[in-house]
Amino acid sequence: MTSRKPLGRYRRIVIKIGSALLVDRKAGLKKAWLDAMCTDISSLKAKGIDVLVVSSGAIALGRSVLDLPSGALKLEESQAAAAVGQIALARAWSESLSHGDIVAGQILLTLGDTEERRRYLNARATINQLLKIGAVPIINENDTVATSEIRYGDNDRLAARVATMTGADLLVLLSDIDGLYTAPPHLDPKATFLETISEITPEIEAMAGGAASELSRGGMRTKIDAGKIATTSGCAMIIASGKTDSPLSAIENGARSSWFAPSGTPVTARKTWIAGQLQPAGELRVDDGAVTALGAGKSLLPAGVRGVSGLFSRGDTVAIVGPEGREIARGLVSYDAEDARRIAGRKSAEIEAILGYPGRAAMVHRDDMVMTAQIRQKSERQKKDAAHA
Ligand code: GLU
């Protein structure tokens, strides 16, 4: 057991449900579990909390309906399985939620829907409208059309993206893992459980192994990635086991779970979008002086840039990495890659002479940048939040 974590203090909660919780390979959909989950959702909604569900299980359910043999599926087989399974999955959610007089709305997203700003705003408007009318959005990746280059592939990061997109203040990841351990507990008997994570440091990242089962794509790695996306945008995250019935009530009653504190710095909607980009178009490697300057809230000047990689255009999102290779920020770059290379390491006053036009003084302006790693002192609020968990 860990401490009780009341969910009633949140305003908008995204719940991610792993395939293995909803689907049994032989028996198919776990209806009793789903019904109990929908009862938990009804009681959250009765408290005025908006609830969004990111439900995996399309491929697993399609596999079970089609009676496909175990083992890896070819891309077109898993896409066909998802097509069959997604209908059954959406119907099951819709029926089960209707017992509590709740309407469900299905949203299928692809990576492009969240990476491209116009499509992102469109998807966000639809989800917000569903919430406004009191419906519960049931969200999944559109697996039938997503191919490996253009897919999330795991619903942990998709759920984090949905959380930041909708301004949720809590993301709950339910799977067969009850939280974060210092090492994979089945491999290391000395592994200890971490109940509160106030900041996702490189040490925390190193604790996430690569574990994933046949039914679920995400392991601890993608959960920590999800945590980075969510907490950077001010959204807390809980990792808990969904193996018992009514796991949300269980979390409230003190079932073991890990709580990740939101970052203390509120960010604008545009910065939220920048922070959640999964595929930056390039990378700027910066020196120690620039790391300190960014930590103090300054823009990134060409003088601090030591290396430029990738084929990006002006306005694309790039990752900004420190001398030791750790990503510290993301932002919209003011120059095409070729020009960025030419002015890297040079003074802003020299830009016009080098490029032949008066470009922007900053390579990435601070208004277009969001820190992905905490390189400032932790704010008092963060410490307080961590103490409350
Ligand atoms: N979108 C996949 C499905 O519904 C699941 C991805 C995951 O397990 O994270 O089958």
Side-chain angles (χ1 to χ4, degrees), residues 2 31 74 87 100 130 143 158 187 208 211 213 215 229 273 282 286 292 303 308 312 339 346 360 369 379 384:
T2 51
K31 180 125 184 17
K74 291 201 209 91
I87 292 187
L130 281 172
D143 292 310
L158 174 65
L187 300 176
S213 69
L215 283 183
I229 297 171
W273 174 70
V286 302
T292 311
V308 174
F312 50 84
D339 287 354
R346 308 295 287 267
R360 281 186 167 210
M369 188 184 342
S379 72
K384 250 189 265 148

Side-chain angles (χ1 to χ4, degrees), residues 228-247:
K228 280 165 57 182
I229 297 171
T231 58
T232 304
S233 301
C235 176
M237 183 173 91
I238 290 177
I239 299 179
S241 167
K243 284 204 280 195
T244 55
D245 274 356
S246 311

Side-chain angles (χ1 to χ4, degrees), residues 161-178:
R161 200 68 167 109
V162 166
T164 64
M165 184 180 200
T166 55
D169 46 4
L170 178 67
L171 166 65
V172 183
L173 299 181
L174 296 175
S175 70
D176 48 6
I177 309 169
D178 56 6

Side-chain angles (χ1 to χ4, degrees), residues 235-315:
C235 176
M237 183 173 91
I238 290 177
I239 299 179
S241 167
K243 284 204 280 195
T244 55
D245 274 356
S246 311
L248 299 178
S249 307
I251 293 170
E252 296 201 281
N253 292 327
R256 181 174 265 206
S257 59
S258 292
W259 187 85
F260 293 72
S263 133
T265 338
V267 287
T268 62
R270 206 159 82 95
K271 288 198 176 190
T272 295
W273 174 70
I274 295 170
Q277 294 262 307
L278 289 187
Q279 295 175 332
E283 201 175 271
L284 303 177
R285 201 161 36 76
V286 302
D287 61 18
D288 281 323
V291 173
T292 311
L294 300 194
K298 303 232 170 72
S299 295
L300 174 65
L301 301 179
V305 177
R306 288 281 163 267
V308 174
S309 52
L311 282 174
F312 50 84
S313 307
R314 197 164 91 91

Side-chain angles (χ1 to χ4, degrees), residues 27-288:
L29 186 82
K30 297 184 184 171
K31 180 125 184 17
W33 187 93
L34 179 61
D35 284 344
M37 170 54 71
C38 289
T39 307
D40 268 1
I41 291 175
S42 302
S43 48
L44 289 178
K45 285 194 59 71
K47 290 183 192 136
I49 299 168
D50 289 335
V51 178
L52 300 94
V53 173
V54 173
S55 175
S56 302
I59 298 173
L61 199 53
R63 246 188 132 115
S64 144
V65 172
L66 297 170
D67 212 8
L68 298 177
S70 57
L73 296 178
K74 291 201 209 91
L75 177 65
E76 60 275 19
E77 286 172 334
S78 59
Q79 290 182 318
V84 171
Q86 184 61 37
I87 292 187
L89 190 64
R91 190 179 52 219
W93 275 105
S94 168
E95 264 175 29
S96 199
L97 281 169
S98 73
H99 300 152
D101 275 334
I102 297 171
V103 173
Q106 175 184 257
I107 303 269
L108 297 177
L109 294 173
T110 54
L111 190 62
D113 294 322
T114 56
E115 300 282 280
E116 249 177 66
R117 180 108 179 121
R118 194 179 47 81
R119 283 160 68 187
Y120 169 89
L121 293 175
N122 188 27
R124 188 176 70 169
T126 310
I127 296 174
N128 280 339
Q129 184 61 23
L130 281 172
L131 294 172
K132 206 163 139 196
I133 58 175
V136 170
I138 304 295
I139 302 160
N140 197 358
E141 181 158 19
N142 195 351
D143 292 310
T144 54
V145 294
T147 59
S148 53
E149 310 81 64
I150 51 150
R151 75 179 319 172
Y152 274 91
D154 66 89
N155 276 357
D156 295 325
R157 292 176 309 153
L158 174 65
R161 200 68 167 109
V162 166
T164 64
M165 184 180 200
T166 55
D169 46 4
L170 178 67
L171 166 65
V172 183
L173 299 181
L174 296 175
S175 70
D176 48 6
I177 309 169
D178 56 6
L180 180 65
Y181 291 78
T182 51
H186 57 289
L187 300 176
D188 185 347
K190 288 208 279 307
T192 54
F193 184 78
L194 296 174
E195 186 182 357
T196 300
I197 294 90
S198 56
E199 186 190 341
I200 301 179
T201 58
E203 294 73 43
I204 294 289
E205 287 187 55
M207 290 170 193
S213 69
E214 187 191 315
L215 283 183
S216 69
R217 295 234 185 76
M220 193 46 79
R221 177 73 264 154
T222 56
K223 291 183 174 47
I224 296 299
D225 287 345
K228 280 165 57 182
I229 297 171
T231 58
T232 304
S233 301
C235 176
M237 183 173 91
I238 290 177
I239 299 179
S241 167
K243 284 204 280 195
T244 55
D245 274 356
S246 311
L248 299 178
S249 307
I251 293 170
E252 296 201 281
N253 292 327
R256 181 174 265 206
S257 59
S258 292
W259 187 85
F260 293 72
S263 133
T265 338
V267 287
T268 62
R270 206 159 82 95
K271 288 198 176 190
T272 295
W273 174 70
I274 295 170
Q277 294 262 307
L278 289 187
Q279 295 175 332
E283 201 175 271
L284 303 177
R285 201 161 36 76
V286 302
D287 61 18
D288 281 323

